[in-house]
Amino acid sequence: MNERSERALQRGYVLVEMLVSIAIIGALLGVLLQFAIAAQEAVTVQADVADLQQRLRVAAEALRHDLLAAGAGGVNGPLADAFAPILPARTGSAGADPELSAHADRISITYVPDTRSQTALTIGMGGPGAPLAIDPNAPGCPADGSCGFTRGDRALVFSAGAHDVFTVADVSGSSATISPAAALSHTYPAGSRVVGVVQRVYYLDRPGKRLMLYDGDRSDLPLVDHVVDLRFTYYVDPAADAVRPPPADGSSCAYAPGTPPVPLLDDLGGLAPTLVPPSRLTDGPVCGLSPHRFDADLLRVRRIGVTVRLETESAALRGSGPAFLTRGTSAGGAKYVPDLQVTFDVAPRNMPAFAGRGH
Amino acid sequence: MDRRAAGFALVEVLMAACLVITVAVAVSQISAAAVRASYAARVRTLAAMLAAQKMEQLRSLRWSRTRIGTPAVTVPVSDVSTDLSSDPPTDAGPGLSPSPAGTLDSNVPFYVDYLDAGGTWVGHGATPPGAAVYVRRWAVQPLDSDPDDILVLQVIVTTTADAVAHQARFVSVLTRKP
């Protein structure tokens, strides 16, 4: 009897104790869970935030690198004397925009890389699609009979206002000829310059939300995903005579004949590079020969403004409102990562500067 | 003996719970540190981009030579009138003329501008506006060995956004092209 009551007492005491401890543990777990949920959300979001920043850096670095080089590596003078190294449109052998078009979210950049493939035509072409007979012994050419050109290279040929960028389809070292993959727009005469170039076309695939990079030939690939906006702005030298003047008494696409030659470009006033709307990059005066004509204002571009906007990969981290270009499902809280937008400027180092208004 | 054992179990449970909580709080501190680090990375990235932006703006100003007259003589052409602290730039500033001393250490008008958390220009002058998060200062100094043709450009971006001071500093040399 005594033993039984003692056991009962003991059992009751254990039950109360258990309830108390369950209550305490429950309370503690509640607190713990709150920490855990917050930490878990933060950790999930951090991966996306880091990814967002990383993608921004990749996009900015790629664009900056190529814009800095635009027009570089001139042969017998800067590339800008032959054509516009920066164009606000898509160029290349596939899907090129028509000449004299301007798009805020597309840019074509051309420069001569560290190549020794710089030569000239020894005899005029037989026709627009004929092989180009090059001088394999031009100064600096490697001694391989074809001045270092190999199949698949992009090459630029230019002469007297006309130019073409083409892919080298075939090289013959024995006859010192290179064949273009497609017919050129002109039949180039002897003496035309032929140079290996790099062509880079950056554009926004708006439906696919991707920053695309096209090499002018066949490689047309996404560079960065979840890019929702891309804009290029152009700052030009405001002086009318900021483009290389023709020889005395001569004329060019930017100068009418006269002594001295009369600039055709508008004087935009001031000295600092001036922001121009895309319409000004297509309204003339026009340089080059069809089908590769371009606006003379592009020859006085001194600075490019680039605006890139990226969003998080996961729609769960995107909400609604001005911070998001594409609506997501986030209701706020920790899972809320606004679009990342930056604007940066690049002053291409190889766009030749001619002093304006000093004449 | 049984009773004591039961009492000890309660203390044990409480201690274990306390331990678990302590560990959990410590772990959540780690993720808080990760959040701070990724924010700091963003601030630094933006600061570097903003510094590069001003550097490119400085480098795009006219700093060349031209030939005038008959017979032709070559004279330097320099932009000494653009105010880069305004957005868009105006023609009422110092351009690439040598900056006074101390433009990198204090807010000297024409050599400082202010940007918000997203990197958008919000003002200039000696006093930062309320929205300013980034302070961008720059200096233009002729190189001692060739003061007429070579400039040393410096840009510093600091931020007040955080207790930890972030800074991006860019230095570049601008040479007059023929």
Side-chain angles (χ1 to χ4, degrees):
Chain A
M1 192 70 187
N2 207 11
E3 247 183 29
R4 205 186 276 171
S5 67
E6 202 179 43
R7 204 175 293 154
L9 190 71
Q10 204 173 42
R11 217 173 271 158
Y13 187 70
V14 167
L15 179 65
V16 169
E17 213 174 53
M18 212 173 80
L19 287 175
V20 168
S21 67
I22 284 174
I24 292 170
I25 290 172
L28 289 176
L29 272 180
V31 174
L32 190 69
L33 211 62
Q34 281 196 331
F35 271 112
I37 289 171
Q40 192 261 342
E41 274 191 350
V43 166
T44 324
V45 170
Q46 280 322 296
D48 277 78
V49 170
D51 178 63
L52 187 66
Q53 293 178 11
Q54 203 58 33
R55 283 185 285 121
L56 171 73
R57 278 183 214 124
V58 169
E61 255 335 287
L63 281 161
R64 189 178 144 77
H65 172 270
D66 285 327
L67 279 170
L68 275 178
V75 269
N76 297 358
L79 269 193
D81 286 352
F83 69 111
I86 298 173
L87 282 169
R90 178 185 167 110
T91 59
S93 47
D97 289 321
E99 61 174 359
L100 295 170
S101 51
H103 299 268
D105 59 358
R106 297 175 199 173
I107 199 165
S108 293
I109 300 161
T110 312
Y111 57 91
V112 179
D114 184 16
T115 175
R116 293 186 289 164
S117 302
Q118 307 195 359
T119 181
L121 295 187
T122 48
I123 48 173
M125 293 171 70
L132 292 83
I134 55 167
D135 176 7
N137 302 314
C141 277
D144 60 356
S146 55
C147 197
F149 282 104
T150 54
R151 192 182 300 175
D153 281 356
R154 290 291 280 173
L156 163 74
V157 55
F158 62 94
S159 167
H163 78 271
D164 271 283
V165 179
F166 61 95
T167 302
V168 177
D170 208 0
V171 175
S172 166
S174 54
S175 61
T177 56
I178 57 174
S179 307
L184 306 182
S185 64
H186 290 91
T187 304
Y188 289 87
S192 304
R193 298 288 305 176
V194 185
V195 195
V197 291
V198 169
Q199 196 173 0
R200 291 266 188 265
V201 183
Y202 289 93
Y203 65 97
L204 180 64
D205 170 10
R206 218 169 269 276
K209 300 198 284 192
R210 298 180 299 185
L211 171 65
M212 303 290 290
L213 173 57
Y214 175 49
D215 74 343
D217 186 26
R218 281 178 217 167
S219 163
D220 198 351
L221 300 168
L223 185 69
V224 179
D225 282 336
H226 288 279
V227 178
V228 285
D229 201 9
L230 175 71
R231 283 193 308 276
F232 298 102
T233 49
Y234 296 81
Y235 296 81
V236 304
D237 193 319
D241 55 353
V243 175
R244 182 189 288 278
D249 304 329
S251 66
S252 71
C253 58
Y255 292 87
T259 313
V262 185
L264 294 171
L265 288 165
D266 296 343
D267 191 322
L268 303 176
L271 275 177
T274 308
L275 178 66
V276 293
S279 60
R280 190 172 263 284
L281 302 175
T282 56
D283 63 351
V286 173
C287 292
L289 293 177
S290 184
H292 299 305
R293 291 181 299 164
F294 58 92
D295 191 285
D297 278 307
L298 290 166
L299 295 176
R300 55 174 178 168
V301 168
R302 294 290 174 265
R303 179 150 61 88
I304 311 280
V306 186
T307 302
V308 192
R309 182 172 179 142
L310 297 102
E311 64 177 18
T312 55
E313 203 172 331
S314 160
L317 301 181
R318 297 196 298 268
S320 51
F324 302 94
L325 217 59
T326 322
R327 258 183 100 104
T329 55
S330 169
K335 291 194 167 187
Y336 183 88
V337 184
D339 290 356
L340 184 55
Q341 175 172 321
V342 295
T343 298
F344 57 94
D345 290 37
V346 182
R349 301 290 191 265
N350 294 280
M351 295 296 284
F354 297 96
R357 284 194 288 274
H359 298 266
Chain B
M1 178 117 182
D2 270 2
R3 212 175 282 173
R4 204 181 297 159
F8 188 68
L10 176 64
V11 172
E12 234 174 31
V13 165
L14 288 176
M15 276 175 66
C18 282
L19 275 176
V20 168
I21 299 260
T22 313
V23 169
V25 168
V27 167
S28 73
Q29 289 298 308
I30 291 175
S31 65
V35 171
R36 276 198 300 273
S38 115
Y39 174 72
R42 184 195 163 129
V43 170
R44 282 201 190 107
T45 303
L46 201 51
M49 281 185 161
L50 294 174
Q53 181 181 44
K54 187 56 68 183
M55 190 59 88
E56 294 300 312
Q57 290 174 5
L58 284 162
R59 290 196 69 104
S60 70
L61 296 185
R62 194 173 298 156
W63 185 251
S64 57
R65 290 196 184 93
T66 191
R67 292 168 68 80
I68 53 165
T70 327
V73 285
T74 303
V75 293
V77 183
S78 313
D79 184 334
V80 288
S81 64
T82 298
D83 173 17
L84 280 182
S85 68
S86 301
D87 188 31
T90 67
D91 277 332
L96 289 174
S97 43
S99 55
T103 56
L104 295 178
D105 305 317
S106 58
N107 299 335
V108 180
F110 297 119
Y111 294 96
V112 63
D113 60 5
Y114 307 100
L115 308 113
D116 68 9
T120 307
W121 186 89
V122 289
H124 59 144
T127 322
V133 172
Y134 295 93
V135 178
R136 181 164 61 183
R137 302 181 186 134
W138 58 95
V140 180
Q141 295 298 333
L143 192 71
D144 287 343
S145 59
D146 191 356
D148 294 333
D149 289 334
I150 301 181
L151 297 177
V152 178
L153 309 174
Q154 292 185 77
V155 182
I156 282 184
V157 174
T158 51
T159 169
T160 51
D162 210 31
V164 189
H166 298 299
Q167 195 181 62
R169 183 190 184 104
F170 276 42
V171 182
S172 179
V173 171
L174 180 61
T175 307
R176 202 187 288 279
K177 282 182 187 152

